[in-house]
Amino acid sequence: MSQESVSIGLSNPKSPTNVGAVMRAAGCYRASSVFYTGERYSRAAKFNTDTKSVRNNIALMGVDCLLEHVPAGSKIVCIELVEGATALPEFQHPDKAYYIFGPEDGSLDQQVVDCADAVVYIPTVGCMNLAATVNVVLYDRLAKSSSVVAGDELIRQSRDTNNKVKISALTTG
């Protein structure tokens, strides 16, 4: 049985808010690294919104080319609204995946799409923002995984320290 791993590639992300939210998603869904291209995020990074300080545990690296940083053994999965792509509900995620997402205000380069092992789209009306798209794709991967960890211990580890809500005993009547 092969070990699962996830890396994320962001093509010229526009917003530091979205990159911060992508980092939070990377932490929630146990991605090992996030790569990004372009200058827009670097210029705005001082406005970082990684509220859980995920950057301390997951590498966030600016690179010139996402294709030069495919983790060993990973399949390239481009997430893009492109004709002929596979709808996310029908997609079977590879154990080792490098998900590459396009910019909020553009598309992935044809060269990147041409190198993909799969191209996937989320069947919505209109397009979602970058962080929302990353969250949906990574959640779909988790939901389809046979190695889902669940239960009260996970809830205790995951929730905010201010969350003390409990489920009351259910009564009929």
Side-chain angles (χ1 to χ4, degrees):
M1 179 194 238
S2 66
Q3 186 175 358
E4 293 187 7
S5 69
V6 174
S7 291
I8 298 168
L10 307 175
S11 177
N12 197 22
K14 181 170 92 171
S15 157
T17 303
N18 265 333
V19 175
V22 167
M23 290 302 291
R24 187 164 184 172
C28 288
Y29 297 105
R30 298 183 175 140
S32 58
S33 55
V34 178
F35 301 93
Y36 68 90
T37 60
E39 299 295 323
R40 297 188 298 182
Y41 171 71
S42 296
R43 278 185 256 145
K46 64 184 174 186
F47 303 109
N48 186 18
T49 60
D50 178 12
T51 60
K52 295 289 185 181
S53 299
V54 175
R55 288 180 60 167
N56 296 336
N57 301 315
I58 298 173
L60 174 63
M61 295 168 275
V63 298
D64 291 329
C65 176
L66 294 173
L67 295 174
E68 292 175 3
H69 296 275
V70 180
S74 293
K75 299 287 186 187
I76 298 171
V77 180
C78 290
I79 310 300
E80 185 66 87
L81 288 171
V82 60
E83 292 179 24
T86 302
L88 183 61
E90 307 304 319
F91 182 64
Q92 294 301 312
H93 298 267
D95 286 343
K96 295 183 178 189
Y98 183 37
Y99 297 102
I100 300 179
F101 298 84
E104 297 93 332
D105 56 353
S107 299
L108 287 172
D109 290 337
Q110 187 67 53
Q111 174 192 9
V112 174
V113 173
D114 290 345
C115 291
D117 295 291
V119 181
V120 176
Y121 75 100
I122 299 171
T124 60
V125 176
C127 58
M128 297 166 53
N129 83 3
L130 177 61
T133 302
V134 171
N135 274 281
V136 167
V137 169
L138 295 183
Y139 177 78
D140 184 77
R141 177 187 177 87
L142 172 71
K144 292 175 180 174
S145 172
S146 61
S147 61
V148 174
V149 176
D152 287 347
E153 182 57 33
L154 178 64
I155 292 169
R156 284 189 290 275
Q157 292 172 6
S158 299
R159 68 182 170 194
D160 186 270
T161 56
N162 295 322
N163 181 348
K164 305 296 183 207
V165 176
K166 297 183 189 262
I167 297 175
S168 300
L170 299 176
T171 59
T172 59

